[in-house]
């Protein structure tokens, strides 16, 4: 364990040393669309239209005497990101079929820090550049809407069984998220086209553990159900960036 910690500290010190020698490079704007969903255990879910808009700054290492210095750079951004999911859940209780459906549409302020490698394609015309990138992102929920309804046809319009509600999505979805972003770039002139995935690590909510409810029922107790993590944000995006200039 001590060796792992020591290696991690040495790697962190090396990274900090490299970052200290970085210099400001390109800066620009970015916009994109794609599909976003919350990966959970619901039987049926449909993605919503995800979107992102924001800006970025590149930090380069061109002043260093290293064969990868021209190819490697860091990118920091600040984006407004739309995420969420549509969902539908069917379940049967006492021979009555119920359908619960709804959506969560949420907007995050996201700060990604990406490590990028780029290389020029060996084509006759110069300037065609491919790249790969990956890194973490921290997101904070700004605002959002939720809507949910329960329909049990055999109960008609009984309000004690069937309901419909809407409100602030963050009453049920956590505001903070930490995710990993992995993607590919194609760069030509001042334009950069990207395809990437954004995969959340933190659970968006907590729900009752069905197994603990069953265990309580079998034991004849009325104990509270255990809570389990439920749902993670996942987005698949296409974006275009435009370099406004250099520092």
């Amino acid at each position: 364990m001590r060796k792992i910690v020591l290696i991690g500290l040495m790697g962190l010190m090396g990274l900090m040393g490299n970052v200290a020698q970085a210099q400001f490079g390109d800066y620009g704007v970015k916009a994109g669309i794609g599909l976003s969903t919350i990966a959970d255990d619901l039987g049926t879910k449909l993605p919503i239209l995800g979107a992102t808009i924001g800006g970025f700054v590149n930090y380069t290492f061109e002043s260093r005497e290293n064969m990868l210095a021209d190819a490697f750079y860091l990118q920091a951004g600040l984006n407004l990101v739309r995420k969420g999911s549509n969902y539908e859940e069917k379940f049967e209780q006492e021979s009555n079929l119920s359908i619960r459906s709804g959506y969560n549409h949420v907007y995050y302020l996201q700060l990604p820090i990406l490590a990028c490698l780029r290389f020029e394609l060996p084509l006759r015309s110069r300037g065609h550049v491919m790249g790969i990138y990956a890194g973490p992102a921290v997101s904070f929920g700004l605002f959002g809407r939720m809507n949910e309804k329960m329909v049990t046809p055999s109960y008609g319009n009984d309000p004690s069984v069937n309901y419909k509600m809407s409100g602030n999505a963050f009453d049920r979805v956590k505001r903070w998220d930490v995710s990993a972003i992995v993607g590919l770039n194609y760069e030509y002139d001042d334009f950069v086209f990207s395809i990437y995935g954004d995969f959340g690590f933190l659970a968006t909510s907590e729900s009752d553990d069905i197994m603990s409810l069953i265990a309580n029922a079998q034991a004849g107790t009325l104990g509270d159900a255990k809570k389990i993590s439920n749902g993670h944000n996942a987005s698949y995006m296409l974006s275009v960036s435009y370099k406004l200039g250099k520092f």
Side-chain angles (χ1 to χ4, degrees):
M1 183 64 182
R2 291 182 179 178
K3 291 183 178 180
I4 295 176
V5 173
L6 180 60
I7 293 173
L9 289 175
M10 292 175 63
L12 181 60
M13 292 173 64
L15 177 61
M16 294 304 294
N18 287 334
V19 171
Q21 298 182 44
Q23 59 191 25
F24 287 108
D26 305 310
Y27 65 91
V29 293
K30 170 184 175 180
I33 60 172
L35 299 178
S36 179
T37 188
I38 296 178
D40 53 28
D41 57 0
L42 295 181
T44 303
K45 49 186 176 293
L46 295 172
I48 68 167
L49 179 66
T52 183
I53 185 169
F56 66 89
V57 176
N58 292 335
Y59 301 87
T60 67
F61 301 84
E62 296 175 354
S63 61
R64 300 200 63 194
E65 295 181 359
N66 189 301
M67 62 180 298
L68 290 179
D70 292 339
F72 178 73
Y73 65 98
L74 298 176
Q75 183 179 98
L78 189 63
N79 306 311
L80 177 65
V81 181
R82 184 178 192 257
K83 296 185 178 182
S85 184
N86 300 313
Y87 60 88
E88 181 177 275
E89 184 179 20
K90 298 180 180 180
F91 54 93
E92 188 172 349
Q93 186 175 12
E94 298 179 356
S95 300
N96 295 312
L97 177 65
S98 298
I99 302 173
R100 183 171 68 117
S101 60
Y103 63 78
N104 294 305
H105 296 170
V106 291
Y107 294 82
Y108 293 94
L109 185 65
Q110 185 181 72
L111 173 64
I113 304 294
L114 306 175
C116 314
L117 280 174
R118 59 187 172 192
F119 55 92
E120 187 169 352
L121 296 176
L123 301 177
R124 179 174 299 179
S125 59
R126 301 294 300 274
H128 297 273
V129 178
M130 291 295 297
I132 58 174
Y133 60 91
V138 178
S139 301
F140 176 75
L142 297 177
F143 54 90
R145 295 290 297 175
M146 59 77 62
N147 186 286
E148 181 175 289
K149 65 179 180 179
M150 174 79 80
V151 176
T152 307
S154 57
Y155 278 82
N157 295 320
D158 186 349
S160 65
V161 177
N162 299 322
Y163 65 84
K164 185 175 182 179
M165 63 180 182
S166 60
N168 184 359
F170 291 106
D171 289 340
R172 60 172 54 189
V173 176
K174 295 180 180 179
R175 286 190 180 272
W176 287 99
D177 194 16
V178 176
S179 59
I181 295 177
V182 180
L184 294 173
N185 275 342
Y186 167 70
E187 181 178 343
Y188 183 75
D189 200 12
D190 290 328
F191 288 93
V192 181
F193 303 91
S194 299
I195 179 171
Y196 66 92
D198 183 350
F199 308 102
F201 289 133
L202 302 184
T204 58
S205 63
E206 292 183 339
S207 61
D208 292 337
D209 183 356
I210 300 300
M211 297 305 296
S212 69
L213 286 175
I214 294 174
N216 289 342
Q218 292 176 342
T221 63
L222 299 176
D224 294 333
K226 295 179 180 178
K227 295 292 184 180
I228 59 174
S229 298
N230 184 47
H232 297 80
N233 282 311
S235 299
Y236 305 89
M237 304 290 290
L238 294 169
S239 71
V240 58
S241 303
Y242 182 74
K243 299 176 184 178
L244 296 175
K246 291 179 176 291
F247 286 98

